[in-house]
Amino acid sequence: METQNPFRLLPQVDEVLARPVVTPFVERVGRDLCRGFVQDVLADWRGEISAGLLDADGVTARLEGSLEPGGLVECLRVKVDEEAGRGVVKAVNVAGVVLHTGLGRAPVHPEAAAAMATAAGSYCVLEVDRFSGQRNRRDDRLSKLLQRLTGCEAAIAVNNNAAACVLALSTFAKGKETIVSRGELVEIGGSFRMPDVMEQAGTKLVGVGATNRTRIADFKNALTPETGMLLKVHTSNYAMIGFTEETPMEELAELARANGLPSVYDLGAGFLNDGVPGLQPIHGLEGEPLLSDAIRSGADVVTFSGDKLFGGPQAGILAGNLGAIEDMRKHPLYRAMRLDKVGLAGLEKTCELYLSGRGDEIPARALMRREPGELQAAAERLAGRLAKTELVESGGATLGVEPGKSQPGSGSAPGILLDTTVVRLVLKRDSAEVLAARLRAGDPPVFTRIADEALVLDPRGLLPGDEDLLVAAIGAL
Ligand SMILES: *Cc1c(COP(=O)(O)O)cnc(C)c1O
């Protein structure tokens, strides 16, 4: 074959975009992005030619080959698929972490999801009372539901618990001091550190006690005319053991009341258990503080996330006494942080499920409550189905079923692991990392865990329909 200038083999960008096979790509991601992708592929190839990688006769033939039967189109397809699969898309979670922040924390109950979809896609009754026709407040209903559920006097909802903390601190302690135990200056995921949050809210942090022990006298001694509020923070993502003492919220609330100060309890997860009809305990989470106890403790305000153990959509809920809640509602930041109609619709439905005795159907709870026997059966069934995939039948991978542990996740129940049974998958040719990456890049993306060089699949996080998707994803490898 005659040697020719390999650059000449590269097509023009517009010529590629005009090809009928490229039309579906243009329709999916738009002409400009497609043009950029074609330019990227051609630039890569130009780089390879310049580097001498593609200029020998045989290699030129390969370049020709990859241009002609659609090599360029294949490269384009990969880029377009990747682009279209970015963003917030459904994922399958067999990583063994129930409330996985990277995967959107709690999946809401299907009825909550339906209420959220309806609120998003239509007009909805948000700030008007449909029976009187009068204007009302968007979270009146939520407030009533949380009253019944937790015993609080009133509640409001904002975007997340971080926002709830900022709102409480700004309302009660801006320009003043906030007293908190040194053992509770937590960091929740990278960018949420209590000391930084306080600085943002314009309150001066007064840390008291020692890291491992704080007593009520420490708070008492730190009171000054500058004190704005007393704060307790649940150390939701780490556990202290040994010689430790924390100040009970009851004592803190009493001290605050005696001094005419507000007290706030950042509870974190919003865990409900006893006192709510129909709820069964979640084995392993006995140490997690309960929302109803926090309300009963006398704190003026309790803050918690909607999407942790509460099992609803992302939200920050502030529940407590009427006066304190009204003070926060009047703060200008509330308007900037208040929850949207979609989140409210999901939270209301989640509360209604708890109140009607169906709380254990809420996925976050149902997944944590799955019995070891049921999980073992699920793992065996999954392994049985995977054994029939081509990958395993051809000897390309080996399978095993063994006991394992799941994590509650999202800063709840630190140190607690739940018993499960996992499927182990080991590939002959590729490492577990490569396999995990391919499953993540698939459609839908599947998130797994790697342990001892094997891919570990924990069935605990499988929602209805997910098992089929998982088997199909592995079958497609
Ligand atoms: C999780 C958590 C937060 C942050 O809540 P987001 O809803 O993620 O904003 C704050 N405080 C505590 C104690 C938490 O556990």
Side-chain angles (χ1 to χ4, degrees), residues 34-276:
C34 256
R35 175 186 299 278
F37 289 160
V38 174
Q39 284 166 340
D40 289 347
V41 175
L42 293 177
D44 283 351
W45 286 359
R46 232 174 262 122
E48 288 186 27
I49 295 170
S50 303
L53 294 171
L54 288 172
D55 65 354
D57 278 356
V59 186
T60 306
R62 215 179 74 204
L63 175 59
E64 225 168 328
S66 58
L67 282 174
E68 282 325 312
L72 180 61
V73 173
E74 237 357 271
C75 292
L76 204 52
R77 183 193 311 283
V78 170
K79 285 183 183 287
V80 168
D81 279 350
E82 261 188 41
E83 173 63 27
R86 282 185 203 285
V88 184
V89 297
K90 183 201 158 66
V92 173
N93 174 12
V94 280
V97 182
V98 180
L99 299 172
H100 193 306
T101 298
L103 301 181
R105 289 199 185 151
V108 300
H109 190 279
E111 290 177 24
M116 293 171 81
T118 303
S122 66
Y123 295 106
C124 59
V125 182
L126 185 65
E127 291 191 347
V128 54
D129 182 285
R130 57 192 284 222
F131 300 109
S132 67
Q134 302 290 310
R135 180 106 192 227
N136 72 356
R137 299 192 290 204
R138 60 175 56 210
D139 39 25
D140 277 350
R141 168 75 174 158
L142 178 69
S143 183
K144 289 266 166 7
L145 293 168
L146 284 166
Q147 263 175 36
R148 287 163 56 199
L149 191 56
T150 69
C152 66
E153 286 178 12
I156 50 175
V158 292
N159 188 47
N160 55 22
N161 191 23
C165 293
V166 172
L167 180 58
L169 289 161
S170 305
T171 305
F172 302 120
K174 190 176 175 130
K176 297 186 189 157
E177 295 175 353
T178 298
I179 310 179
V180 61
S181 160
R182 287 204 176 90
E184 297 177 357
L185 294 172
V186 300
E187 170 175 319
I188 315 275
S191 55
F192 185 86
R193 284 184 163 175
M194 234 346 138
D196 302 339
V197 171
M198 290 193 184
E199 196 182 317
Q200 285 304 315
T203 182
K204 181 159 175 255
L205 162 69
V206 177
V208 296
T211 302
N212 56 331
R213 297 188 68 146
T214 306
R215 301 180 190 81
I216 193 67
D218 298 319
F219 282 88
K220 212 180 254 169
N221 293 337
L223 288 171
T224 72
E226 297 309 308
T227 306
M229 67 180 241
L230 306 188
L231 174 68
K232 182 171 179 61
V233 183
H234 174 47
T235 56
S236 55
N237 56 6
Y238 71 99
M240 287 207 285
I241 55 167
F243 187 56
T244 65
E245 180 173 342
E246 63 173 293
T247 315
M249 189 64 228
E250 285 78 2
E251 292 182 19
L252 216 57
E254 204 181 299
L255 180 65
R257 245 191 327 274
N259 289 274
L261 293 168
S263 59
V264 175
Y265 189 1
D266 174 12
L267 184 65
F271 185 43
L272 288 162
N273 235 0
D274 56 31
V276 180

